[in-house]
Amino acid sequence: MTETFRNYIDGEWVSGPTFENRNPANTDEVVGLFVKGSASDIQSAAGAAARALSAWSAMPAPARGNLLFKVAEILERGFDQIAAEMTREEGKTLPESKGEVRRSINIFRYFGGEGSRLPGLLVPSERERVHMFAIRKSIGVIGLVTPWNFPSAIPSWKMAPALVCGNTIIVKPASVAPLSAWRIVEACHQAGIPKGVVNFVAGSGGELGRALVEAPPLKAISFTGSCDVGRWLHTEASKRSLRIQLEMGGKNPTIVLADADFNSAVENTVNAAFFSTGQKCTATSRVIVEEPIYDKFVAALVERTKKLKVGNGMEPGIDIGPAVDEGQLETNLKYIDIGRKEAGAPRVGGNRLTGKDFDKGYFIEPTIFADVTPAMTIAREEIFGPVLAVMRAKNFDDAMQIANDIPFGLSASIQTSNISRAFEFVNRMEAGLLTVNLPSAGVEYQLPFGGTKDSSFGSKEQGPAALEFYSDYKTVYLKY
Ligand code: NAP
């Protein structure tokens, strides 16, 4: 029998009408039924979070940190099940899911440790016998709205810093993959986090998003998702002067210079473009290759891509799972059609995979278009699927110009053995996350995460920077 996962409000599991969470690799399988929350559930959750705030924020921060350590332990105990569920609801391969659950556990441990640090500021005063310092305080009730592509890590990197700073929260997960976030909320419940501190309401983004942004107790929203929704939330949140943090789309470049280690540049590009079905916000969707190696690089990229195995991510040896749902599959196919008109036939891929088990899921071939020029739609718009545009650059400066000629600024990579070029790239690249001789995707939790330009708004997530969004300073001047 299919399990029903209820919403979590004020420490209670709340029932109601449900919606289905289906496996994108096998749409015959219903992974779970989720209670479809309403605007009034958001109001109840916001009320509960407001009531829980004063006791939770008054709890010593190390004690809050200890509860986060417990959450990590509980997730660790359920590791294999949680990873398998993630593959079944999102489609990424099992090793990718295991990597993500490991990351969520690490995030809870990292921010658990922040409970015994929560660094403030202590500086000397200009005045005699004045002691001055600034301490961190919670900001209040916070709404956390998350996407489906990292259904565990993104809720974790919002929930853990929000909680350790003493805030109370309402989590709204993506409707196509809510189970991974639900497991974290379940772990918070089992860890003994007091009622009302963590609330979870699944359901339609449009309805719940409006209710959240209008909920009187709300003080801040942290959102990860598409630019359109982010911009709407920003407008609405600004009307109430809510604090807001937005992490949105990208069109991330990898620059490959002629002096790069050729084989690792090919490997890094394929990894960044196609793994997780190209559904990482930091995925490479444009590879900009220096003229002298262009033809050889395109040929090697195509050969390597032909070896990738697409299929159900639960099976061993699979490199690429399905698109997350029918809508994303259609978006990928729409852009492939546009690409055919703009750049000619793809050098590899370009089709939905059909026949046998493929018919049950949203599988698509990893696809490469060559000779893409900067004005083409497939070089400018986010696709969020396994579709790569290869672009030719005359030299390093030309490559930098092409890479920066885009409204997005999430991640970017360069492949080069020239240290000066690497540092020039670091200085001149307009993006928040940079890699050198690594894939553009694949970041760790100990440093700030987030983009620039149209990709992001507000302060960074993860690492010590996360505390800036989730806390306020209280500054004290004391004469003794
Ligand atoms: P999305 O459609 O914007 O959805 C994100 C979340 O917002 C979901 O929980 C969604 O709920 C909710 N939502 C929808 N309409 C809303 C509204 N009017 N008000 C408030 N919330 C609303 O994005 P997605 O398709 O899940 O994710 C893909 C996008 O996320 C891509 O653009 C990708 O680049 C971006 N992303 C960015 C980062 C980053 O760190 N920069 C990381 C990951 C993903 P429903 O699911 O119920 O619609």
Side-chain angles (χ1 to χ4, degrees):
M1 195 173 119
T2 311
E3 194 172 344
T4 298
F5 298 92
R6 290 172 291 172
N7 287 327
Y8 185 63
I9 300 171
D10 206 9
E12 302 289 333
W13 299 103
V14 180
S15 300
T18 58
F19 65 96
E20 289 177 343
N21 174 13
R22 278 185 188 266
N23 182 343
N26 174 9
T27 52
D28 289 346
E29 184 195 352
V30 179
V31 179
L33 294 173
F34 279 78
V35 170
K36 189 174 186 302
S38 62
S40 81
D41 290 320
I42 291 284
Q43 282 147 17
S44 306
R51 289 191 297 279
L53 183 65
S54 64
W56 178 247
S57 60
M59 182 187 280
R64 292 197 297 263
N66 283 341
L67 287 167
L68 298 197
F69 290 135
K70 274 196 192 160
V71 173
E73 265 169 51
I74 293 165
L75 294 176
E76 182 100 57
R77 285 205 291 275
F79 183 86
D80 287 325
Q81 183 196 343
I82 297 170
E85 285 171 349
M86 189 189 302
T87 292
R88 287 166 56 222
E89 74 168 349
E90 202 272 354
K92 62 180 69 181
T93 65
L94 191 56
E96 286 173 329
S97 294
K98 286 186 176 176
E100 185 173 339
V101 179
R102 172 63 47 212
R103 186 161 156 197
S104 298
I105 292 166
N106 289 342
I107 289 168
F108 270 91
R109 294 216 168 105
Y110 176 86
F111 285 105
E114 282 294 9
S116 46
R117 288 188 292 270
L118 274 194
L121 295 166
L122 175 63
V123 295
S125 168
E126 292 182 339
R127 291 167 284 181
E128 282 189 13
R129 299 179 73 79
V130 169
H131 184 68
M132 54 192 259
F133 58 98
I135 52 173
R136 285 185 189 274
K137 301 304 286 177
S138 60
I139 53 178
V141 178
I142 306 183
L144 309 177
V145 183
T146 59
W148 46 262
N149 67 330
F150 286 99
S152 178
I154 295 179
S156 297
W157 81 52
K158 294 183 192 298
M159 292 172 70
L163 292 171
V164 84
C165 288
N167 304 289
T168 56
I169 58 175
I170 304 159
V171 181
K172 151 66 186 107
S175 296
V176 291
L179 181 50
S180 301
W182 192 92
R183 286 287 176 216
I184 302 170
V185 172
E186 181 189 43
C188 291
H189 173 73
Q190 290 170 353
I193 291 181
K195 70 173 192 153
V197 172
V198 174
N199 302 275
F200 172 98
V201 185
S204 149
E207 182 184 351
L208 302 189
R210 176 164 290 287
L212 201 55
V213 81
E214 289 177 353
L218 212 78
K219 288 285 179 286
I221 295 185
S222 177
F223 167 82
T224 302
S226 61
C227 291
D228 286 349
V229 173
R231 272 191 288 266
W232 178 81
L233 266 178
H234 187 196
T235 307
E236 295 304 309
S238 301
K239 291 178 188 163
R240 291 184 51 203
S241 305
L242 295 182
R243 182 180 291 206
I244 191 159
Q245 173 181 64
L246 307 168
E247 283 302 336
M248 302 171 287
K251 190 72 190 172
N252 310 308
T254 289
I255 295 173
V256 182
L257 297 186
D259 60 36
D261 175 329
F262 188 85
N263 292 336
S264 77
V266 171
E267 210 50 46
N268 288 341
T269 305
V270 166
N271 172 314
F274 298 132
F275 287 6
S276 293
T277 325
Q279 296 175 156
K280 292 178 183 167
C281 50
T282 48
T284 288
S285 54
R286 300 179 291 152
V287 58
I288 303 162
V289 186
E290 211 179 357
E291 181 77 60
I293 59 160
Y294 181 88
D295 291 331
K296 188 177 161 206
F297 192 81
V298 173
L301 214 50
V302 167
E303 279 320 297
R304 178 67 184 91
T305 301
K306 281 182 183 162
K307 296 199 179 92
L308 295 174
K309 227 173 141 193
V310 182
N312 187 328
M314 291 300 281
E315 290 166 17
I318 294 297
D319 298 300
I320 301 178
V324 74
D325 65 4
E326 197 169 4
Q328 186 59 54
L329 178 76
E330 278 168 9
T331 301
N332 298 344
L333 293 170
K334 178 189 88 178
Y335 277 104
I336 288 171
D337 267 356
I338 293 172
R340 280 183 210 281
K341 289 183 192 115
E342 291 181 330
R347 298 295 172 95
V348 64
N351 301 299
R352 180 175 184 171
L353 286 158
T354 52
K356 289 197 208 152
D357 288 348
F358 284 137
D359 287 340
K360 291 187 175 174
Y362 306 118
F363 297 99
I364 185 165
E365 293 172 330
T367 299
I368 296 177
F369 287 100
D371 301 336
V372 174
T373 55
M376 291 180 186
T377 310
I378 56 167
R380 305 202 72 77
E381 294 183 10
E382 183 181 51
I383 302 171
F384 218 53
V387 183
L388 178 65
V390 192
M391 306 172 79
R392 191 188 298 261
K394 291 197 259 315
N395 50 39
F396 172 70
D397 282 326
D398 190 32
M400 286 302 303
Q401 209 280 327
I402 295 168
N404 277 329
D405 175 29
I406 202 90
F408 297 109
L410 191 53
S411 74
S413 174
I414 192 166
Q415 311 290 310
T416 181
S417 56
N418 181 325
I419 190 81
S420 295
R421 291 283 189 252
F423 273 99
E424 273 191 62
F425 165 81
V426 167
N427 288 333
R428 288 165 55 187
M429 187 67 224
E430 296 163 4
L433 300 158
L434 304 178
T435 72
V436 178
N437 297 329
L438 287 166
S440 66
V443 299
E444 301 189 31
Y445 55 88
Q446 310 94 311
L447 280 176
F449 174 95
T452 181
K453 295 163 88 174
D454 287 358
S455 291
S456 304
F457 179 84
S459 56
K460 301 277 189 239
E461 305 203 78
Q462 304 197 69
L467 304 181
E468 299 305 322
F469 181 76
Y470 291 107
S471 64
D472 257 343
Y473 285 108
K474 193 178 266 187
T475 305
V476 182
Y477 298 87
L478 186 156
K479 174 89 179 172
Y480 60 94

